Amino acid sequence: MYGWIWRHLPGPMAVRAITALLLIAGVVALLMFVVFPWIEPKLPFNEVTTE
């Protein structure tokens, strides 16, 4: 899959590397600001009881 993405990015290698880093940053931002906050209340880790 990563090879497919790399082959379809336009430009020379430096432009491809910058574009790949921007894509990675976008995916990380999407996960941190949308997906993880949405799923966090559904996880059972907040229901911890100790005695």
Side-chain angles (χ1 to χ4, degrees), residues 32-51:
M32 295 300 268
F33 295 116
V34 177
V35 176
F36 293 154
W38 172 74
I39 199 141
E40 193 267 334
K42 297 171 176 40
L43 296 174
F45 301 127
N46 292 335
E47 300 171 10
V48 178
T49 58
T50 57
E51 295 180 13

Side-chain angles (χ1 to χ4, degrees), residues 19-37:
T19 307
L21 288 174
L22 290 174
L23 284 172
I24 292 169
V27 168
V28 169
L30 180 69
L31 287 172
M32 295 300 268
F33 295 116
V34 177
V35 176
F36 293 154

